Amino acid sequence: MKFEILSGFILLSFLSVSCSKSNEKNESQEAASQVEDRSVQKDEIDGSSKDQWTGFDFDGAKSIKQADFASEISWDIAVKRSSIKVNAPGVKILLVKDQSFENIATAASEGYISDQAPSDPSKETSGLAFHQGESWYSYDPATHVLKSRDQVYLLQSSEGRYFKLKILDYYNSDRLPGYLQVQWQEIAAAGTQP
């Protein structure tokens, strides 16, 4: 009887250690796959509505309708025509100068800004981070065409992850306006290895 209890205890201990190591292995594999899955992504954000924002969550790589903002609080940026806002105060951006999209592997540690209270409430873009200084686009009054300034931004997401972002175009493949074409990629946080 004592032998059966002892062998049962040993078997139970072995299974417990085995399961624990298996769980640790699964957790480390899951964390590694999140780090390794940092390929360059391209998405179209449908901001063509004149009265509704469309959000985009970089952590989840998905668009979110304005009607779902209350339940889907993880959106990072929202687009309405040429206006872009961030999900303040948690989401912050930094305009990167003198570096190409391809050469950025690690996020900066400081200098990020978020949306602020509008200084001119009659202007929709007043106080919005993507419209500080030179806006993300240039406008040709002769042709009424918006063109991306080809700038690179760093973005700290609602979940605290970092991404590099480039706005490629304001038009879709049919040249309809308000369909933001973005290129983005997750990058390492400041002080960590890419």
Side-chain angles (χ1 to χ4, degrees):
M1 176 82 168
K2 288 182 182 181
F3 177 74
E4 290 174 0
I5 292 172
L6 183 59
S7 61
F9 177 74
I10 292 171
L11 179 62
L12 185 60
S13 296
F14 174 76
L15 289 174
S16 176
V17 169
S18 177
C19 287
S20 175
K21 288 186 178 186
S22 176
N23 286 342
E24 287 173 12
K25 185 178 178 183
N26 288 342
E27 288 172 8
S28 67
Q29 284 177 339
E30 190 175 304
S33 71
Q34 287 179 346
V35 172
E36 291 170 10
D37 187 20
R38 291 190 171 172
S39 58
V40 175
Q41 307 288 320
K42 288 187 180 178
D43 281 287
E44 177 178 280
I45 305 171
D46 181 358
S48 61
S49 172
K50 293 181 181 178
D51 57 351
Q52 295 288 309
W53 292 89
T54 298
F56 192 82
D57 173 20
F58 290 97
D59 300 296
K62 64 179 180 178
S63 290
I64 300 169
K65 295 179 182 179
Q66 181 175 338
D68 298 327
F69 281 4
S71 61
E72 294 273 354
I73 59 171
S74 63
W75 62 273
D76 296 307
I77 65 170
V79 179
K80 180 168 60 164
R81 302 299 285 177
S82 62
S83 300
I84 304 174
K85 66 180 178 178
V86 300
N87 192 356
V91 179
K92 299 173 180 137
I93 64 164
L94 171 66
L95 174 60
V96 179
K97 298 194 183 224
D98 304 323
Q99 274 192 312
S100 69
F101 182 89
E102 294 74 22
N103 290 337
I104 299 171
T106 306
S109 58
E110 56 187 26
Y112 294 84
I113 62 171
S114 193
D115 289 352
Q116 303 297 314
S119 57
D120 179 0
S122 67
K123 187 176 176 188
E124 183 172 73
T125 58
S126 179
L128 300 184
F130 276 97
H131 300 273
Q132 299 299 313
E134 282 189 331
S135 183
W136 67 268
Y137 66 88
S138 62
Y139 174 70
D140 184 343
T143 61
H144 302 292
V145 170
L146 269 73
K147 185 176 180 187
S148 171
R149 291 191 193 272
D150 202 32
Q151 302 174 132
V152 179
Y153 296 89
L154 300 183
L155 181 138
Q156 181 182 5
S157 76
S158 61
E159 294 182 18
R161 292 161 61 188
Y162 290 89
F163 298 87
K164 57 184 175 179
L165 166 68
K166 187 173 185 180
I167 301 168
L168 303 173
D169 204 348
Y170 174 67
Y171 302 91
N172 68 7
S173 58
D174 294 326
R175 302 310 295 159
L176 295 173
Y179 292 87
L180 220 60
Q181 309 300 314
V182 295
Q183 174 179 302
W184 58 277
Q185 182 177 24
E186 186 171 3
I187 57 175
T192 61
Q193 294 296 319

